Amino acid sequence: MLTVPETLEGWCLLHQMFRVSWPALVQATNDERAEFAEGLREFLDRSVAGDGATIAVAMLGHKADLMLVHARRSFDALVQAQLDVSRLPIAEAFESTTSYVSVVELGMYEMTAKIHEQLTERGLAHGTDEYRAAQKEAMQVQHGRVSSRLYTAFPARRYVCFYPMDKRRGEIKNWYSTPFEKRAAMMREHGHIGRLYAGEVTQIISGSIGFDDWEWGVDLFADDPVVFKRLIYEMRFDEASADYGEFGPFYTGVQFSSSQVAEWVEGRTPTLAI
């Protein structure tokens, strides 16, 4: 019997990375720069509690100058966020460098095994309509139990690191052909390391299979950027990462408050109000 781990989904996420034409902003008049800043500030403040939010991150390095991360209830709402950004006055100074589409995901390895065991004990045959209906009902119960984790607010922490990743599907090491029990054990080990950093790092894991070029997106938030290095370095030694992890490009920067947009537009390092 093929056992596929269940997942629960929450916020729909869109990461947008932009290169900024700083010469264009410098050459703009004071009134024009003020208009640019006000438009972006209003957009960041526009989100309503419960319907999603957008955060701004000033990026380090050449990959982007600005990252906007949108969390919304649906892909339709993400399209609207993308359109809203494209129509901002400051958008004329933006050049899109990359983007990433995903959905906040909670993997349920342990719960999947438990639900399968319970349904089998009830005499339900795997793959039948009755089994699938009972499984769906059980997962809906779990969704209500962990809803706050699926629709959590963006952490108000200064430093942000985002990267996409895959599980290896090579000829020798293939995550998806590894027995369920083995994968579950590796994920327990992987999760244990993450929990050791619970007070120092807040993470948001999102699934992107079928949505983008990688399988997962990882957002990390911390008050000290060095913690990113320590956490990811330690995780490289666990079996799930050492044997099966494939990592995409890393994007690192500083989150800043909407009230600081004008500072950023004027070429000064923006701050984050905690």
Side-chain angles (χ1 to χ4, degrees):
M1 180 184 70
L2 176 64
T3 303
V4 178
E6 297 289 338
T7 59
L8 296 174
E9 285 72 41
W11 291 125
C12 300
L13 298 182
L14 172 62
H15 291 69
Q16 289 186 291
M17 284 75 159
F18 299 100
R19 184 172 289 114
V20 176
S21 174
W22 292 110
L25 293 184
V26 169
Q27 293 167 14
T29 66
N30 291 339
D31 287 345
E32 288 172 334
R33 285 197 300 275
E35 181 185 4
F36 292 161
E38 183 62 14
L40 180 55
R41 184 199 65 77
E42 287 183 351
F43 171 76
L44 293 173
D45 287 340
R46 196 180 304 156
S47 57
V48 179
D51 289 333
T54 297
I55 59 170
V57 182
M59 304 300 287
L60 288 164
H62 74 285
K63 298 172 188 172
D65 295 306
L66 176 70
M67 178 171 71
L68 297 177
V69 189
H70 312 282
R72 298 293 189 273
R73 291 278 178 179
S74 67
F75 275 18
D76 296 71
L78 283 183
V79 169
Q80 189 60 59
Q82 181 172 290
L83 287 170
D84 289 345
V85 171
S86 70
R87 295 168 65 85
L88 293 174
I90 199 173
E92 65 183 64
F94 286 178
E95 176 191 354
S96 179
T97 59
T98 191
S99 61
Y100 204 80
V101 178
S102 57
V103 175
V104 172
E105 176 183 293
L106 182 60
M108 304 292 283
Y109 268 92
E110 298 294 336
M111 187 54 63
T112 295
K114 184 176 181 180
I115 289 173
H116 279 277
E117 180 181 348
Q118 291 173 344
L119 297 184
T120 300
E121 290 175 352
R122 288 168 52 184
L124 299 178
H126 187 270
T128 63
D129 291 342
E130 293 80 5
Y131 186 99
R132 285 192 290 268
Q135 183 182 31
K136 182 178 180 180
E137 182 180 352
M139 292 306 296
Q140 287 175 339
V141 171
Q142 295 303 316
H143 192 282
R145 183 176 64 85
V146 298
S147 180
S148 62
R149 295 172 60 185
L150 297 171
Y151 294 98
T152 185
F154 287 118
R157 308 188 85 161
R158 177 61 162 169
Y159 302 99
V160 181
C161 175
F162 169 73
Y163 61 93
M165 65 169 294
D166 283 345
K167 291 299 188 186
R168 188 165 296 145
R169 303 188 303 281
E171 296 178 1
I172 298 175
K173 295 286 186 179
N174 188 323
W175 177 260
Y176 295 96
S177 63
T178 302
F180 176 86
E181 293 76 13
K182 176 66 172 176
R183 282 182 280 128
M186 287 189 285
M187 291 308 295
R188 279 196 299 272
E189 177 191 20
H190 190 73
H192 173 71
I193 295 174
R195 286 190 291 275
L196 295 176
Y197 289 82
E200 299 177 85
V201 177
T202 305
Q203 67 175 7
I204 297 177
I205 306 298
S206 54
S208 45
I209 294 176
F211 299 144
D212 220 308
D213 296 336
W214 296 78
E215 296 176 336
W216 287 276
V218 180
D219 287 278
L220 302 176
F221 300 80
D223 301 319
D224 179 358
V226 176
V227 175
F228 298 148
K229 176 179 179 294
R230 292 173 179 166
L231 168 61
I232 296 169
Y233 178 67
E234 185 170 347
M235 281 189 167
R236 291 289 170 93
F237 288 92
D238 71 43
E239 190 174 4
S241 294
D243 284 356
Y244 297 97
E246 300 278 4
F247 298 87
F250 283 69
Y251 300 88
T252 305
V254 295
Q255 183 179 180
F256 61 95
S257 304
S258 61
S259 61
Q260 288 287 299
V261 170
E263 291 292 307
W264 177 75
V265 169
E266 293 295 338
R268 295 185 289 270
T269 302
T271 60
L272 178 66
I274 305 299

